[in-house]
Amino acid sequence: MKKLLLTTIVALSVAFTCQAKKTELSLHLQQGKSYKQVTDSHVTIDQEVQGQQMKISMEIKGSMTYKVTAVTATGYNMDVQYDSLSMSMQMPQGTMNFSSEKNDASDIFSSILKSMKNRPFQVTMTKQGKITEVKNLDKLFDSMFEGFPQLPEQQKAQMKAQLVRSYGEEAFKGNVEMTLAIYPEKPVAPGDTWVIENKQKSGMPVEITTTYTYKADNANDYLITGESKIKTTNPDQFVENNGMQMKYNMDGTMTSEIKVDKTTGWVREAKLKQEMQGTTTIKANAQMPNDMEIPMTMQNDMTFSDK
């Protein structure tokens, strides 16, 4: 009887110890160290414009370096720079390819992407991966056109607007937080879940509510998975996009599988799959007497890595 009681106590003690073991999932970066983030986004858009089906495929790639300049009580101050950028689009009208690695002076957009490389801007980030401040990124866009005096002012304005939508402060913040702002406020054990809400204001403004799960404690990394619900913000409000007033009424889902380094908390590898459907409405203008509603589905497959 005593042996049975002792065995039961030991078993309960071990079970309690396992249940009580929790991990602080967060960033643990070092001052003076640099961390890489390589992204690859494949976007497919199917839309119906005036009864005609139109398919657009895009691929956006980028490589960035984050150098920690200071470790604070709440997080990190960083110098961040683009190492390479590329964008390709396939549309019914044809295909376009732009890259910061091209050496073609006649390719103005690629030359502008090239001018964005190796020009640090400043970021403040919490240990939970939230970006609280971005400084000097928009100034980068203001200065990069100085090397292209031959461009008409209207063309400069259009190109700058496109770049800001893709790479500006709001776009940068939204893209980074999609994979780094994933951490809970308190320690968790495998199987635990927590909810994080994010808003993306660039391009199509959306709200993302994600339930994350601490899935596994592997040899070199922690596995975190996410199930997200996405909906557009203020679906009745028009916003400017490519010189037109547009409003978006879309919703969808996203799944995430993220491996983070056990020592630093930096993302080693992530795969995200986003699907959305709904309508986009272009507001009536001088060339178009009535609003145009465009049914649309969108899929975005994204990968992130640290090398």
Side-chain angles (χ1 to χ4, degrees):
M1 183 60 129
K2 289 182 179 179
K3 185 176 180 182
L4 178 60
L5 180 61
L6 179 61
T7 302
T8 302
I9 291 172
V10 170
L12 288 172
S13 176
V14 170
F16 178 78
T17 301
C18 292
Q19 289 174 2
K21 185 179 179 182
K22 291 181 178 287
T23 302
E24 181 189 344
L25 295 179
S26 64
L27 294 170
H28 301 281
L29 310 181
Q30 295 183 37
Q31 184 171 337
K33 295 283 189 180
S34 293
Y35 303 86
K36 298 279 288 187
Q37 186 182 61
V38 180
T39 66
D40 191 353
S41 176
H42 294 257
V43 183
T44 302
I45 300 172
D46 284 299
Q47 53 190 2
E48 184 180 323
V49 182
Q50 295 181 325
Q52 298 293 319
Q53 289 297 129
M54 180 181 294
K55 184 174 183 178
I56 300 173
S57 298
M58 294 186 292
E59 183 175 17
I60 302 172
K61 295 182 178 181
S63 175
M64 307 184 73
T65 298
Y66 299 71
K67 183 176 182 179
V68 179
T69 56
V71 179
T72 67
T74 56
Y76 311 95
N77 297 334
M78 300 174 165
D79 280 346
V80 182
Q81 68 178 37
Y82 290 106
D83 302 317
S84 65
L85 294 163
S86 67
M87 181 189 304
S88 64
M89 298 179 65
Q90 186 173 356
M91 302 175 291
Q93 299 92 331
T95 301
M96 297 184 291
N97 294 283
F98 309 104
S99 172
S100 62
E101 308 312 292
K102 279 187 179 181
N103 292 308
D104 182 358
S106 64
D107 187 338
I108 300 296
F109 198 80
S110 290
S111 298
I112 291 172
L113 292 180
K114 191 181 189 73
S115 73
M116 292 176 61
K117 292 174 53 177
N118 307 319
R119 299 178 67 174
F121 54 94
Q122 287 65 51
V123 169
T124 303
M125 183 183 294
T126 71
K127 292 180 180 179
Q128 282 71 43
K130 283 275 188 181
I131 294 176
T132 56
E133 187 177 22
V134 181
K135 294 192 297 186
N136 298 320
L137 179 55
D138 283 349
K139 289 182 180 178
L140 184 153
F141 296 111
D142 291 334
S143 63
M144 68 173 54
F145 289 96
E146 293 174 357
F148 305 93
Q150 73 276 24
L151 291 178
E153 289 302 318
Q154 184 178 358
Q155 188 176 357
K156 286 182 183 180
Q158 291 174 343
M159 295 178 78
K160 179 183 174 183
Q162 185 174 351
L163 286 167
V164 168
R165 277 195 302 274
S166 300
Y167 302 108
E169 290 185 5
E170 291 297 343
F172 169 81
K173 182 179 179 180
N175 289 334
V176 171
E177 289 190 347
M178 201 178 297
T179 52
L180 283 178
I182 61 174
Y183 292 113
E185 294 290 339
K186 58 184 181 180
V188 289
D192 285 351
T193 63
W194 60 97
V195 176
I196 291 180
E197 295 184 354
N198 284 322
K199 290 186 178 181
Q200 295 190 16
K201 300 178 182 179
S202 177
M204 180 171 62
V206 297
E207 297 176 356
I208 304 175
T209 303
T210 305
T211 300
Y212 288 106
T213 303
Y214 176 14
K215 203 72 174 180
D217 181 348
N218 300 321
N220 299 314
D221 55 65
Y222 300 115
L223 175 62
I224 299 171
T225 60
E227 297 285 340
S228 306
K229 293 183 179 179
I230 309 171
K231 63 177 181 179
T232 47
T233 308
N234 300 322
D236 296 324
Q237 180 179 334
F238 285 95
V239 296
E240 186 173 346
N241 194 340
N242 286 325
M244 297 181 291
Q245 292 293 315
M246 306 179 72
K247 64 180 181 181
Y248 305 92
N249 187 1
M250 301 185 71
D251 57 30
T253 60
M254 181 172 70
T255 59
S256 312
E257 184 176 287
I258 305 170
K259 295 178 181 178
V260 299
D261 187 275
K262 295 181 79 167
T263 302
T264 65
W266 196 253
V267 173
R268 294 181 61 241
E269 180 184 316
K271 297 178 181 178
L272 284 67
K273 187 180 183 66
Q274 184 182 100
E275 295 180 344
M276 296 187 70
Q277 55 281 318
T279 59
T280 298
T281 302
I282 303 175
K283 192 174 185 179
N285 53 52
Q287 290 76 38
M288 189 175 65
N290 300 308
D291 291 354
M292 180 188 294
E293 186 175 276
I294 303 172
M296 177 187 299
T297 61
M298 183 171 66
Q299 181 172 311
N300 189 359
D301 295 312
M302 296 165 276
T303 61
F304 299 78
S305 70
D306 63 351
K307 59 184 71 175

